[in-house]
Amino acid sequence: MKIAVLALQGAFIEHEQRLQQLGAETFEVRQLADWLQPMDGLVLPRGESTVQMRLLDQLGLLKPVQEAILRGLPVLGTCAGMILLSSGYLGTMNIRVRRNAYGRQLGSFHTVGQVEGIGEDVPMTFIRAPYIEEILSPDCRPLAQVDGRMVAAQQGCQLATAFHPELDADLRLHQHFLQMARHNVIVG
Amino acid sequence: MANERQELNRQLAQMLKGGVIMDVTTPEQARIAEEAGACAVMALERIPADIRAAGGVSRMSDPKMIRGIQEAVSIPVMAKCRIGHIAEAQILQAIEIDYIDESEVLSPADNIYHIDKTRFDVPFVCGAKNLGEALRRIAEGATMIRTKGEPGTGDVVQAVSHMRLMQSEIRRLVSMSEDELFEAAKQLQAPYELVRFVHENGKLPVVNFAAGGVATPADAALMMQLGAEGVFVGSGIFKSGNPRKRAAAIVQAVTNYQDAKLLAELSEDLGEAMVGINEQEIELLMAERGK
């Protein structure tokens, strides 16, 4: 099991550590040459979505990444990664996301909540986080809500969370993602 | 609760990793920085090179000016307060700044004490030129560290010395036996628990950026290769010929800091770099403020 982690900017090392703990191999994607290796899945980490989007474009990665996801490459996007997947950015997931939805850093918080298919006690850390304002197609379903806001969703092999599973010791979400990747036909 | 806040604040700094934080003085510059790929901006009235040129006492920026920048961009906004100036920090917290830089670039307000940053909800970044300073700032509640470098000079030599020193002190702690750590803590004048953390993890418990004198994509790549987790660029961008292009090039250089071929392309046609002054030519060493 080989997972690519987008390493343009942000906290990608934390994802690599979690995936490696679960026995997966990881490699960093910093430019087009890195992208050309075979992979079973892709992680879009947190960071600043404006920075990541710009670098994807400048490094010629935007189209290849977008096409691979549309062809069915399993992908996990957290926080900025969820923004990248959403409508108006890569647009592979039919969700509309509000950036900095909880305001500035003083609005960042930690909680525990239910995620469908994962458990009732999933730790959730929100750092200048977005949430999902609207789901735009029936094949995309919300997986979690916090205070009435949608904070996780899945559409086919695309999994997006507004919070940061890579920051807590709980490995269930990454495990769920690896299972998705394992059951998927390998996409080159 | 206080610990949870500290943790969230450390985590915000992690989100900035691999990114470039740029000094800006106007909403227009802030937008240029955001478009060029800055992961955060530092709002201040004068960039360090001009603070140096103007002399006199330099203080926290006008909150109205900072608010203008907060409204102009969607990325995190940082601002500086003077070392030890509790009230300036409270004011910056009141306007919901994302990060406070308790900075030696401004005139110190207190020659002995730094701010007790554990009493604030808003996160702090502090400068350090060696491991002892870094760990003392972390003990006081800083959730992000940057090298001091020598701000406003366009001369990277001090940032390099500070980063190299910090990394070699970290390696030294890692190689020590456990019973030597008590003496190491005494020598570093830092809390034993933090010294032990560094011994066990081979890194600071918070994110460590480079700052002070970074002016080119090559400077940024150099600092990343020396172990920085991201870069602050102060005067280097808006004191140069083509800020937009230089800013974007530095952002890319930080992501692909090991790809010399790409760095060569990024270094082409950037226009004039900031003129810069050598550290020997300056009378005021800002890095000597706040230890």
Side-chain angles (χ1 to χ4, degrees):
Chain A
M1 182 72 37
K2 215 169 167 191
I3 305 295
V5 179
L6 190 71
L8 300 180
Q9 188 270 323
F12 41 86
I13 290 160
E14 290 77 358
H15 275 291
E16 292 171 41
Q17 290 163 347
R18 294 289 172 271
L19 292 165
Q20 286 161 8
Q21 272 175 282
L22 290 165
E25 255 186 88
T26 61
F27 64 94
E28 295 180 358
V29 178
R30 290 173 184 269
Q31 50 181 277
L32 197 54
D34 304 326
W35 178 253
L36 304 173
Q37 322 174 42
M39 65 186 79
D40 302 301
L42 169 68
V43 172
L44 304 176
R46 71 203 175 114
E48 275 302 315
S49 54
T50 52
V51 181
Q52 295 184 358
M53 199 62 192
R54 170 156 292 272
L55 285 168
L56 275 175
D57 188 28
Q58 286 172 345
L59 294 163
L61 279 162
L62 204 145
K63 273 251 140 22
V65 169
Q66 194 176 34
E67 281 164 10
I69 296 172
L70 288 173
R71 278 203 308 271
L73 176 71
V75 59
L76 167 65
T78 62
C79 193
M82 174 168 100
I83 297 173
L84 288 190
L85 292 170
S86 74
S87 165
Y89 294 83
L90 288 174
T92 54
M93 236 179 140
N94 296 323
I95 51 175
R96 198 156 49 77
V97 167
R98 179 156 168 191
R99 286 185 61 207
N100 299 335
Y102 297 93
R104 301 190 175 279
Q105 174 60 6
L106 288 172
S108 295
F109 64 101
H110 181 85
T111 185
V112 173
Q114 184 184 356
V115 181
E116 198 190 310
I118 309 277
E120 291 188 352
D121 52 349
V122 179
M124 300 177 178
T125 303
F126 294 84
I127 312 275
R128 280 176 55 97
Y131 58 65
I132 302 170
E133 276 188 317
E134 199 183 349
I135 286 192
L136 305 166
S137 74
D139 62 333
C140 181
R141 61 176 214 283
L143 296 182
Q145 293 205 355
V146 169
D147 300 329
R149 310 283 192 194
M150 293 180 280
V151 294
Q154 184 167 353
Q155 176 182 344
C157 280
Q158 302 183 63
L159 181 62
T161 66
F163 54 91
H164 297 288
E166 76 279 11
L167 290 181
D168 291 293
D170 194 305
L171 292 171
R172 284 175 291 176
L173 220 128
H174 283 92
Q175 207 154 20
H176 176 70
F177 169 64
L178 287 178
Q179 261 157 19
M180 267 167 52
R182 203 165 286 131
H183 295 134
N184 193 60
V185 186
I186 293 171
V187 183
Chain B
M1 189 62 213
N3 274 336
E4 185 173 310
R5 214 0 93 186
Q6 281 268 315
E7 200 49 43
L8 288 168
N9 288 342
R10 286 183 183 190
Q11 289 166 345
L12 174 65
Q14 291 175 2
M15 200 143 128
L16 304 172
K17 280 191 295 188
V20 181
I21 300 168
M22 302 181 192
D23 280 3
V24 297
T25 57
T26 63
E28 175 58 19
Q29 286 185 354
R31 275 188 288 265
I32 292 175
E34 184 176 41
E35 281 162 23
C39 66
V41 290
M42 176 77 69
L44 67 178
E45 263 160 355
R46 286 199 196 122
I47 53 175
D50 292 336
I51 290 176
R52 211 171 256 296
V57 176
S58 118
R59 311 177 176 89
M60 176 189 78
S61 298
D62 183 341
K64 188 175 168 189
M65 171 262 163
I66 297 170
R67 277 218 185 95
I69 287 171
Q70 286 176 314
E71 280 159 24
V73 293
S74 65
I75 54 180
V77 177
M78 305 182 167
K80 292 185 195 291
C81 74
R82 284 180 266 176
I83 290 174
H85 208 309
I86 303 160
E88 282 187 352
Q90 288 162 346
I91 291 169
L92 292 173
Q93 173 161 280
I95 61 168
E96 296 204 13
I97 203 77
D98 290 302
Y99 239 98
I100 297 177
D101 184 359
E102 187 185 17
S103 177
E104 69 283 0
V105 171
L106 305 181
S107 310
D110 192 318
N111 280 329
I112 300 169
Y113 300 104
H114 278 71
I115 297 171
D116 176 1
K117 294 164 276 287
T118 61
R119 290 170 179 267
F120 287 76
D121 287 333
V122 98
F124 280 81
V125 54
C126 285
K129 59 183 190 308
N130 55 46
L131 186 59
E133 281 185 18
L135 295 181
R136 286 195 289 279
R137 296 297 86 76
I138 295 167
E140 293 158 4
T143 51
M144 179 178 187
I145 293 293
R146 55 171 175 74
T147 59
K148 284 179 170 171
E150 199 46 47
T153 60
D155 188 352
V156 80
V157 64
Q158 293 294 330
V160 168
S161 321
H162 300 163
M163 186 56 79
R164 276 206 181 267
L165 179 56
M166 237 186 269
Q167 299 294 350
S168 92
E169 287 176 310
I170 288 173
R171 283 191 295 273
R172 199 174 136 255
L173 278 192
V174 170
S175 69
M176 282 182 176
S177 68
E178 288 195 4
D179 60 353
E180 290 170 332
L181 295 177
F182 301 99
E183 173 63 17
K186 193 173 94 188
Q187 283 174 12
L188 287 166
Q189 301 179 46
Y192 168 75
E193 289 70 28
L194 292 175
V195 168
R196 193 184 172 90
F197 180 96
V198 174
H199 169 72
E200 284 169 358
N201 295 277
K203 64 189 286 295
L204 296 180
V206 304
V207 167
N208 187 12
F209 269 47
V214 176
T216 66
D219 287 349
L222 169 65
M223 295 315 302
M224 293 298 288
Q225 289 186 32
L226 291 177
E229 293 178 278
V231 173
F232 282 83
V233 187
S235 317
I237 290 175
F238 290 100
K239 274 281 162 193
S240 75
N242 188 344
R244 212 176 278 270
K245 193 166 177 194
R246 182 169 295 268
I250 292 176
V251 169
Q252 280 208 43
V254 167
T255 300
N256 282 296
Y257 62 90
Q258 283 167 320
D259 183 345
K261 223 174 128 204
L262 181 68
L263 292 173
E265 282 169 36
L266 293 171
S267 305
E268 277 179 17
D269 283 329
L270 291 179
E272 208 161 321
M274 75 177 282
V275 177
I277 20 176
N278 295 320
E279 51 149 344
Q280 292 85 356
E281 294 167 359
I282 53 182
E283 286 168 9
L284 174 69
L285 271 176
M286 289 175 175
E288 292 307 314
R289 291 169 165 173
K291 288 178 184 171

